[in-house]
Amino acid sequence: MKKFRGFFLGVMPALALTVSAGLSGARAADDIKLSSNQRISCGRGLNAGKLQNISCKSFAYIFNTKTSEFYRCQVSVGVTRDNKEVLKVDTDGDCKLKARIFPSDSSYQFDATETEPPNTNSFFGSGGTAIWVSDSTKLSAKGCILLSVGVGPDVLKCVDMTFNK
């Protein structure tokens, strides 16, 4: 397994940089920011004939600090191996535009985090995403929840924050 840890540590950052580089080339680099809240999950399984499947999936958010639009990006790497060698490596990844939080352009800061994978306590399918956006030019922020409800489109609701003194 030690051999594969090095493989994943080398492949995952390279794939993440490839995804984000494609987006930043389309817009001014100063307007695009990567969320600091990325996650990774990995699993392993055995097949007939002593083959082993190892797969990892990671996601991140890329945010336009001028328009408040954000993308959810996901990358996955799967390896099939036997006792002696790697037989196959599969990769996949893309970024999907999710929403715009503020209606007008400004200068925004952003972060997002997702719920853990589904479990028996999960009420809304795979759960939701918490998104926080603040305006860098004035005291203004929104807290948003994006829910994947499983029937119809995802539900995004934001609350304008009040600042009490």
Side-chain angles (χ1 to χ4, degrees), residues 38-107:
Q38 304 89 30
R39 296 284 187 260
I40 185 169
S41 62
C42 298
R44 212 165 57 163
L46 293 174
N47 290 339
K50 297 188 179 185
L51 292 179
Q52 216 177 41
N53 290 328
I54 304 165
S55 62
C56 287
K57 187 184 318 184
S58 180
F59 66 87
Y61 288 87
I62 294 179
F63 185 71
N64 185 317
T65 61
K66 184 176 181 180
T67 67
S68 77
E69 290 178 328
F70 67 97
Y71 294 81
R72 185 189 187 276
C73 300
Q74 182 171 307
V75 62
S76 62
V77 175
V79 174
T80 303
R81 67 169 212 143
D82 62 14
N83 289 334
K84 297 181 182 182
E85 64 183 326
V86 171
L87 302 172
K88 183 170 91 171
V89 176
D90 295 313
T91 60
D92 190 24
D94 66 355
C95 295
K96 292 189 179 2
L97 179 64
K98 288 300 196 177
R100 182 178 174 126
I101 305 297
F102 284 92
S104 59
D105 291 356
S106 188
S107 176

Side-chain angles (χ1 to χ4, degrees), residues 101-158:
I101 305 297
F102 284 92
S104 59
D105 291 356
S106 188
S107 176
Y108 300 105
Q109 292 184 15
F110 169 83
D111 205 1
T113 188
E114 291 188 11
T115 56
E116 296 298 319
N119 60 41
T120 55
N121 298 325
S122 187
F123 184 71
F124 285 112
S126 60
T129 302
I131 303 152
W132 287 93
V133 182
S134 65
D135 191 327
S136 302
T137 64
K138 61 185 175 198
L139 193 57
S140 176
K142 289 188 181 201
C144 306
I145 300 290
L146 178 66
L147 289 177
S148 300
V149 295
V151 292
D154 293 349
V155 174
L156 174 68
K157 292 294 178 185
C158 297

